[in-house]
Amino acid sequence: METLSRSESIIYAFDKNHEPIKMISSGTTIRIETFDCFQNQVTSEADKIEQLAWDQTNPATGPIYIEEAMPGDILKVKIDKIEIGSQGVMMTLPNEGTLGHRLTESTIKILPIKDDHVFLNDIKLPINKMIGVIGVAPKEEAINCGTPGPHGGDMDNKMITEGAILYLPVFVEGALFGLGDFHAAMGDGEIGVTGVEVEGAATVTLEVLKGETIEQPLLENEEVFTQIASAKTLDEASRLATELMANRIVQKTGRSLAEVTMLLSAAGQIEICQIVDPLMTVRFVLSKSILTQYNTKLI
């Protein structure tokens, strides 16, 4: 199996001008190591937030060049395994996140991780290992790793976890794939700006799909098929995700837009991924038990 160490190359933006650190062929499985979102700068609750190098946050390990990938293709990312460290970091900051206007000072918390749980003082929380930043290089100018978009990026979607398959549009030759910003646990919204930030490693299988295009990332797991979308507001992101999901079902099934609208209104779910990044991210979720009745696959 191929491997990529976090010490080999990290990026702070998805950029078509980056030189790839590794070249692989479609279908390759690779284990990728990552720093946490603070690049492992925080090691103690006594650390001073003011002393952090904020230009070294949200690093992704990469970029990886997939030899067969060309603009207009789809990069299929199967998340085989996520490994995480033995402790995580959370912090709160004045004027950051949904409740930041009520906070007057910064706080750092180190959270032990043991036996599939995270410990917040005396409260035991189940782990939910997930990848916050994952994506490819955009077609135009570079996009920092803290911003989501059609290329992926900082979607902070808790469904991006073991067993999921993420589909990303390819904009440049080789795709230039990277990932980082793991969480041991994170709720929908990530309302405090941080989840339980943690270092780790992901084993993923990268496969190029030809003959079909997508506008924004898609995700599926054993239970659901989802359309992800990011926009300036939750309303805009929700409309975009709904439109794209409806378009795909109409295209793949041949059913009328009226029927698909009824289907999505009766059985679809709009769910928030995150509300604290420069763009908001949502997912439109539909059960595979419903989609299988159409006897067709959406991708």
Side-chain angles (χ1 to χ4, degrees), residues 109 118-125:
K109 191 71 181 174
V118 175
F119 292 85
L120 176 59
N121 295 326
D122 59 339
I123 304 299
K124 190 164 86 170
L125 309 173

Side-chain angles (χ1 to χ4, degrees), residues 226-286:
T226 76
Q227 173 68 64
I228 305 167
S230 299
K232 288 185 178 180
T233 69
L234 284 176
D235 285 351
E236 292 173 319
S238 298
R239 290 192 195 98
L240 180 56
T242 304
E243 292 266 9
L244 293 174
M245 179 67 95
N247 291 347
R248 179 156 290 272
I249 296 174
V250 168
Q251 175 192 359
K252 293 292 186 178
T253 65
R255 300 301 179 101
S256 70
L257 178 59
E259 177 182 322
V260 171
T261 299
M262 294 177 192
L263 170 72
L264 298 184
S265 191
Q269 314 292 331
I270 294 176
E271 299 176 352
I272 293 171
C273 297
Q274 60 77 27
I275 57 173
V276 293
D277 290 339
L279 299 180
M280 309 290 108
T281 306
V282 306
R283 56 182 179 260
F284 196 106
V285 182
L286 195 60

Side-chain angles (χ1 to χ4, degrees), residues 47 65 91 93 118 125 249 261 288 295:
D47 288 340
Y65 184 105
M91 66 173 60
L93 297 160
V118 175
L125 309 173
I249 296 174
T261 299
K288 281 189 171 178
N295 296 316

Side-chain angles (χ1 to χ4, degrees), residues 196-215:
V196 181
E197 310 293 338
V198 66
E199 65 181 0
T203 301
V204 298
T205 301
L206 302 176
E207 179 183 355
V208 177
L209 305 182
K210 301 282 187 179
E212 187 171 6
T213 61
I214 56 176
E215 294 180 35

